[in-house]
Amino acid sequence: MEYIIIFISAIFVNNIVLAKFLGICPFIGVSSRLETSVGMTGAVAFVMVIATIVTYLIQYYILKPLSIGFMQTITFILVIAALVQLVEIILKKVSPALYQALGIYLPLITTNCAVLGVAILTIQNGYNLPEAAVFSFATAIGFGLALVLLSSMRESLDLVDIPKGMKGIPVAFIIAGILSMAFMGFAGLV
Amino acid sequence: MNQWNNFSKGIFKENAVFVQVLGMCPTLGVTTSAYNGLGMGLATTFVLLMSNIVVSMVKGFIPDKVRIPAYIVIIASFVTIVELIMQAFVPVLFDELGLFIPLIVVNCLVLGRSEAFASKNNVLSSAVDGLGMGLGFTLALFMLGSIRELLGSGAWLGIKFIHGDGMLLFILAPGAFIALAYLIAIMNRVNRRNA
């Protein structure tokens, strides 16, 4: 039951993009085409789950016993950067097809604040390891949901006549605002 | 390029938020009040200034292939310093900004300036560039924070102008997106007229 609550709340109630404002850069940057946002979601989900589990283990088995919690930021970002590289290399060898699909999005993930954000949030919320895995996976799905929703709307916006100054990024933000308003309706869910 | 142009481009012509649309997460996340926006802006400015200076000093020693991880380590060190300082001296602000302070590490603006400017220019220009970009970012956050605070709670920098609540929407998540959308649209308009 607990896992279901974590799952639902991470996707809908506390949606990482629309309620927590993490991962806005890829949200606005790659959301002009549906295809790219699906690719991005796959890459993010992949890295986010692995990164959260690895940083979780580092926090509780290295940083905490040595009481060097203040090194959290540096350690986590380095782990994520290294992990992204590693995933890229392994993927290239093991599954060239998947690498073809996700390849260009992988380097961008290092600077995706959602990945580091989820790693830190997991520690702050005091989840245990299975909870952390569920939380990170659900967060990635929430990210994907927001991205796919926005990109499908932006695709149809290309055909609409909107004021010149609002074209592109401003109108994307307005849609994001309305989406975020809609997602607030889920607040009573859990 | 003279230093004044170098400084002012970060505030107007290449403003990080309004023109380049970088560093959106903290821009939207912390600007529930003008004070928070100001605090976040200044913290980022410090990191930007220091990392620009250090990156431009060590640019000759870092092999090209590992430069991005090296920059990230430099940036993360300064973020940790800011984190510890803020925790010690402004604990209330620290709690309110919360997650977004460690996330300065992944602010694309900071890494972007290291990569695009500090790695190619001398120490003085990099420092001036970092300061200008940082203050431009601070200005944008302060403006957005002021607008959201005024509309959302009818106050500015904690001084109340009306009784009761304002339009609560602007304090909540959707208001951040909508307020920023209109600000960027207005800036687009102003920039086009000047160009």
Side-chain angles (χ1 to χ4, degrees), chain B residues 106-142:
Chain B
V106 280
N107 188 329
C108 355
L109 170 64
V110 182
L111 190 63
R113 288 330 281 177
S114 293
E115 167 75 6
F117 198 92
S119 63
K120 298 188 187 82
N121 289 283
N122 63 31
V123 177
L124 180 68
S125 311
S126 303
V128 171
D129 174 78
L131 198 62
M133 280 289 164
L135 290 180
F137 185 67
T138 309
L139 182 75
L141 258 64
F142 184 66

Side-chain angles (χ1 to χ4, degrees), chain A residues 21-96:
Chain A
F21 301 119
L22 297 176
I24 304 278
C25 296
F27 180 62
I28 295 298
V30 305
S31 67
S32 47
R33 284 283 158 273
L34 187 59
E35 206 175 308
T36 51
S37 28
V38 172
M40 187 71 187
T41 307
V44 165
F46 202 65
V47 173
M48 202 180 258
V49 174
I50 300 174
T52 307
I53 291 170
V54 172
T55 52
Y56 179 90
L57 295 174
I58 286 177
Q59 170 77 17
Y60 285 103
Y61 292 100
I62 298 178
L63 296 185
K64 219 159 181 202
L66 297 174
S67 58
I68 45 171
F70 62 89
M71 291 291 282
Q72 197 189 48
T73 312
I74 298 187
T75 323
F76 280 19
I77 188 67
L78 277 180
V79 167
I80 291 170
L83 211 62
V84 170
Q85 288 280 316
L86 205 67
V87 166
E88 209 177 332
I89 294 168
I90 293 174
L91 219 56
K92 212 175 192 173
K93 274 263 181 275
V94 177
S95 166

Side-chain angles (χ1 to χ4, degrees), chain B residues 20-174:
Chain B
Q20 301 192 61
V21 202
L22 291 175
M24 282 298 119
C25 303
T27 305
L28 294 163
V30 306
T31 51
T32 46
S33 73
Y35 180 68
N36 285 359
L38 196 61
M40 185 70 205
L42 291 179
T44 311
T45 305
F46 173 78
V47 174
L48 199 53
L49 174 65
M50 297 310 287
S51 63
N52 255 10
I53 291 175
V54 173
V55 165
S56 71
M57 281 198 290
V58 298
K59 61 177 185 282
F61 306 108
I62 301 177
D64 216 33
K65 276 203 166 154
V66 295
R67 68 178 194 288
I68 299 288
Y71 296 163
I72 289 179
V73 174
I74 293 170
I75 294 166
S77 323
F78 286 111
V79 171
T80 307
I81 294 173
V82 168
E83 237 181 307
L84 294 174
I85 291 175
M86 288 183 78
Q87 205 167 3
F89 293 105
V90 279
V92 179
L93 185 65
F94 179 81
D95 285 340
E96 233 166 88
L97 299 183
L99 187 59
F100 285 99
I101 298 179
L103 288 183
I104 297 176
V105 178
V106 280
N107 188 329
C108 355
L109 170 64
V110 182
L111 190 63
R113 288 330 281 177
S114 293
E115 167 75 6
F117 198 92
S119 63
K120 298 188 187 82
N121 289 283
N122 63 31
V123 177
L124 180 68
S125 311
S126 303
V128 171
D129 174 78
L131 198 62
M133 280 289 164
L135 290 180
F137 185 67
T138 309
L139 182 75
L141 258 64
F142 184 66
M143 273 170 71
L144 189 60
S146 302
I147 292 172
R148 286 182 68 191
E149 198 183 352
L150 270 173
L151 291 175
S153 52
W156 192 58
L157 288 171
I159 306 162
K160 272 278 202 188
F161 294 125
I162 56 162
H163 290 290
D165 292 328
M167 283 184 274
L168 210 55
L169 179 76
F170 278 91
I171 295 290
L172 298 170

